[in-house]
Amino acid sequence: MSQPLHPCPFELPNPVSPERPRPAWVVVGPDGSHASRALRRVLGLDERSRLDASQVRFVDGLAAAVTSVVRGDAERAVVPWRNALGGAVFETVDAVLGQAAHIEHALRLPIRHVLAAPPGTRVETIRTIASHPEALRQCRVLLERLRARPVAAESTAAAAAKVARNDGFADAALCDALAAERAGLAICVGDAADAPGNETTFVVVTRTPTATLRAGAVYDLGIVALTCVDTPGVLRRCLSVLEEHGLDLAAIESRPLPATPHAVRFVLEVRRHEGAAMRAALDDFAPLCRRVRWLGGGRAEGTPTWQPSSSPRAAAPSVAAAQDRVVDPFETPGGDSAAATPAVVRGGSKRPSPPRDGRTRWVDRRHDGARTVVEIADGRVRIGDGSFALLAGPCSVESAEQIEACARLAAETGVAVLRGGTFKPRTSPYAFQGLGLEGLELLARAGRRHGLPVVTEVLEPALVERCAEHADVLQVGARNMHNFPLLAALGEIDRPVLLKRGMAASLDELLYAAEYVLARGNRRVILCERGIRTFETATRFTLDLSAVVVLKERTHLPVIVDPSHAAGARRFVPPLARAAKAVGADGIIVEVHPDPDRARSDGPQALTFDTWRRLAAELTGGTA
């Protein structure tokens, strides 16, 4: 069989085979780890009872446990979130933040670390001690007293098992007493923690939230992640929201965002709270943050725990059975009866939350008339602030030399954002489809070299995160304006979205497409008029400049114009660009190419470098 022309750039997870059905639970193993103790507590089992091997899978790391749930290899994971002595378990925190994971339950488990070694070992001879890094952090006093070197292991139980093999891995292990007993080790120190009262908060992680934060219900824990521009006072403003709604902060962490160094992400843990108060706080966070993500937390008071059963699927409650246990802020509009209904739509995705300031949609113009200014690349570029932004570059990234030449021209002519297509949806399956990930890296490299943020089109949800690693703005092309799974995925990322109007779409349809993105938390959307299909054939499409005026009246979002795709011929592009500025557009996105007649896509509408220099100078008031 021949290879496909454009193979998928990602390694997709293998589905669970029929011979090995998907387990209900995944924890870090082997059995005897603190996570396995927490799972027994969740299921209401005795600590010495056996776990059903068909229902529980053991993995080697916390991130692996969370990823197993996100990929669908297991239904739920039990992982540590915070320890009383060591603080947040960052491996878990980062794994949850970096994936589509949700916390549906939390429980505190007393932790008693013992120092265990092969029988006959004297404490004073111990020079190496193995355990999970979090356990080693909680027992630093003992390590210093014995002058022992710490050795990292996948879990406390794994450390005990490796020490028991007596193959030189380590002299002793910090583990639970039950793990030591199962490994055949003798307990040398009965309580090895730095201080008494050691306990760990474990969380149950699932893939999809399935219910609501209900008004009147009280929850024992709530966790929310806020992504903000790193500016003075931003944390104080966020914390004031909690105070305003009577919410008590239990803990706060700051986690890095590698792709956006000038942004900061705070993870807030809120103590016992009422559902409506938390919902109101989430709404009030939105104007202060680039993204607000509800991670979940504890179950409502009075909700029963999971009950052990002899049924083979008893450990994996169905969505229907889990409705009263799972917390999610996105509530179906309506009265109290609606609040008890799980906010789930087809495909298992959560229903978005409408605004609570009297508007019907997030895209609707605000009552105070304020307009959204979309910041790109940590505020280096602002679209919608009254200036006229230039976005320019080739239709497709074709080579390193070509995109380098375009980037150099863009930097010289005052371009705000470098454009370049790397995944190209073409009418013909035989036409050039773009360089894919290779082109994406070339585009990003050229942009960095010349100090320019870059925008590129993303075609499907599976590509969103990969494109966001390299691009500062993600574009939804005209053919994908109705790709609702893609729009929903873009609502979950911390990147501005450039949304083009479909070639046969009404303005209402364009606004509802934008609503899909805004309603899921991403408020940085730029609308683009790029021409619509009419009976006229003199141009490729008919540029609807009235759309700019109407959209400015109906929405607070910035609006730019694409004269290149509307015209289809480069001689028409300059006058249409001037017209876009005249009707009040916030900018234009134009195709340029060093040799348009040899371009691999849309050459007839691409401007030459000389033509672009003259047009850019005219639009910005400079000289060519």
Side-chain angles (χ1 to χ4, degrees):
M1 181 181 295
S2 61
Q3 292 292 320
L5 292 176
H6 301 283
C8 176
F10 305 104
E11 180 181 352
L12 299 177
N14 293 324
V16 179
S17 66
E19 292 77 18
R20 189 183 186 188
R22 180 175 68 175
W25 300 91
V26 59
V27 294
V28 174
D31 198 4
S33 65
H34 292 299
S36 67
R37 287 182 55 218
L39 174 59
R40 286 179 170 87
R41 178 72 63 86
V42 169
L43 298 176
L45 301 176
D46 180 82
E47 288 199 353
R48 291 184 174 273
S49 62
R50 289 288 178 181
L51 293 173
D52 186 346
S54 68
Q55 295 299 298
V56 180
R57 179 179 300 169
F58 292 103
V59 295
D60 288 338
L62 302 177
V66 176
T67 301
S68 293
V69 172
V70 173
R71 293 192 314 184
D73 294 342
E75 296 181 17
R76 287 172 173 81
V78 178
V79 287
W81 181 265
R82 174 176 296 280
N83 177 262
L85 301 180
V89 181
F90 289 124
E91 185 179 355
T92 299
V93 174
D94 292 340
V96 171
L97 290 175
Q99 304 181 78
H102 184 80
I103 296 171
E104 69 171 15
H105 178 48
L107 71 152
R108 293 188 182 93
L109 186 72
I111 300 295
R112 179 172 173 261
H113 296 302
V114 302
L115 181 66
T121 302
R122 293 186 302 170
V123 174
E124 60 269 21
T125 65
I126 294 174
R127 292 293 175 263
T128 54
I129 298 176
S131 195
H132 188 273
E134 294 297 329
L136 293 169
R137 287 171 56 192
Q138 298 160 29
C139 303
R140 284 176 287 197
V141 173
L142 177 66
L143 286 166
E144 292 173 3
R145 179 162 60 86
L146 297 179
R147 297 182 180 179
R149 178 172 59 86
V151 178
E154 296 85 354
S155 70
T156 54
K162 290 183 177 182
V163 169
R165 291 202 297 262
N166 206 16
D167 58 3
F169 178 73
D171 298 331
L174 288 168
C175 59
D176 182 70
L178 183 58
E181 177 185 321
R182 290 183 174 177
L185 301 179
I187 296 177
C188 302
V189 177
D191 194 348
D194 291 346
N198 190 21
E199 66 176 15
T200 294
T201 297
F202 284 83
V203 294
V204 176
V205 176
T206 186
R207 187 177 182 182
T208 306
T210 54
T212 63
L213 272 172
R214 301 190 307 277
V218 178
Y219 301 86
D220 53 16
L221 179 67
I223 305 174
V224 60
L226 308 177
T227 302
C228 311
V229 178
D230 192 5
T231 55
V234 63
L235 178 58
R236 175 182 54 79
R237 291 190 292 272
C238 290
L239 295 181
S240 68
V241 171
L242 298 181
E243 182 180 8
E244 179 182 346
H245 294 285
L247 299 172
D248 186 15
L249 182 68
I252 182 171
E253 304 294 342
S254 175
R255 302 306 298 147
L257 288 161
T260 52
H262 298 291
V264 62
R265 181 164 51 192
F266 300 113
V267 181
L268 310 182
E269 298 176 31
V270 178
R271 300 184 200 274
R272 188 173 181 270
H273 60 276
E274 191 267 338
M278 178 60 79
R279 282 210 322 266
L282 295 174
D283 286 340
D284 288 349
F285 281 136
L288 304 175
C289 307
R290 285 185 173 181
R291 184 184 180 197
V292 178
R293 181 180 171 194
W294 173 249
L295 297 178
R299 62 165 61 94
E301 289 185 354
T303 303
T305 58
W306 285 280
Q307 296 298 324
S309 168
S310 58
S311 167
R313 303 304 293 174
S318 66
V319 170
Q323 289 173 7
D324 292 331
R325 290 196 294 270
V326 186
V327 182
D328 188 82
F330 300 105
E331 182 179 36
T332 306
D336 293 338
S337 60
T341 305
V344 177
V345 295
R346 183 168 56 87
S349 60
K350 60 191 178 186
R351 180 171 296 155
S353 173
R356 302 180 188 275
D357 59 2
R359 290 180 294 162
T360 304
R361 303 176 299 184
W362 289 105
V363 294
D364 293 336
R365 191 167 185 177
R366 297 171 182 154
H367 299 303
D368 59 4
R371 305 201 64 82
T372 289
V373 177
V374 173
E375 293 187 340
I376 300 170
D378 302 316
R380 286 191 288 131
V381 174
R382 292 164 57 88
I383 295 182
D385 64 352
S387 62
F388 190 73
L390 304 181
L391 293 77
C395 173
S396 300
V397 177
E398 300 170 1
S399 66
E401 295 75 18
Q402 174 242 25
I403 191 60
E404 170 66 22
C406 291
R408 188 183 311 114
L409 173 75
E412 293 171 354
T413 55
V415 167
V417 181
L418 175 67
R419 65 147 293 155
T422 59
F423 296 94
K424 299 296 297 179
R426 305 299 299 280
T427 301
S428 169
Y430 309 111
F432 176 60
Q433 306 283 319
L435 296 180
L437 293 176
E438 177 190 357
L440 187 60
E441 293 173 357
L442 293 175
L443 174 66
R445 194 176 303 134
R448 287 194 301 270
R449 188 176 294 114
H450 294 277
L452 293 170
V454 300
V455 55
T456 195
E457 183 172 357
V458 58
L459 300 186
E460 55 181 309
L463 292 170
V464 167
E465 289 191 8
R466 181 63 66 90
C467 289
E469 292 175 3
H470 298 280
D472 301 278
V473 183
L474 299 185
Q475 174 184 310
V476 177
R479 290 175 173 84
N480 263 324
M481 193 204 82
H482 287 301
N483 186 338
F484 300 124
L486 174 61
L487 298 173
L490 290 169
E492 298 289 332
I493 64 162
D494 183 31
R495 283 290 183 275
V497 174
L498 174 59
L499 177 61
K500 287 195 171 185
R501 181 184 182 184
M503 60 188 71
S506 68
L507 294 182
D508 258 336
E509 290 171 322
L510 173 62
L511 289 174
Y512 270 114
E515 187 75 4
Y516 268 83
V517 181
L518 271 69
R520 281 163 173 79
N522 188 348
R523 308 288 195 255
R524 294 189 292 166
V525 175
I526 304 164
L527 303 177
C528 181
E529 163 58 37
R530 47 82 68 204
I532 54 176
R533 181 166 287 163
T534 67
F535 58 82
E536 182 54 67
T537 59
T539 54
R540 185 177 182 183
F541 295 96
T542 298
L543 184 60
D544 182 10
L545 288 175
S546 66
V548 177
V549 181
V550 174
L551 290 171
K552 288 279 187 175
E553 182 180 84
R554 294 176 59 184
T555 181
H556 56 91
L557 299 175
V559 184
I560 68 172
V561 169
D562 177 355
S564 299
H565 280 90
R570 68 179 66 97
R571 67 183 184 278
F572 297 141
V573 172
L576 292 179
R578 298 184 196 105
K581 184 175 183 180
V583 298
D586 294 295
I588 54 172
I589 180 167
V590 175
E591 292 182 357
V592 298
H593 195 282
D595 189 357
D597 292 335
R598 300 179 65 179
R600 300 187 69 179
S601 61
D602 286 351
Q605 67 197 36
L607 298 184
T608 64
F609 280 14
D610 287 342
T611 302
W612 172 249
R613 286 191 180 95
R614 291 192 296 271
L615 178 60
E618 178 183 346
L619 294 174
T620 59
T623 56

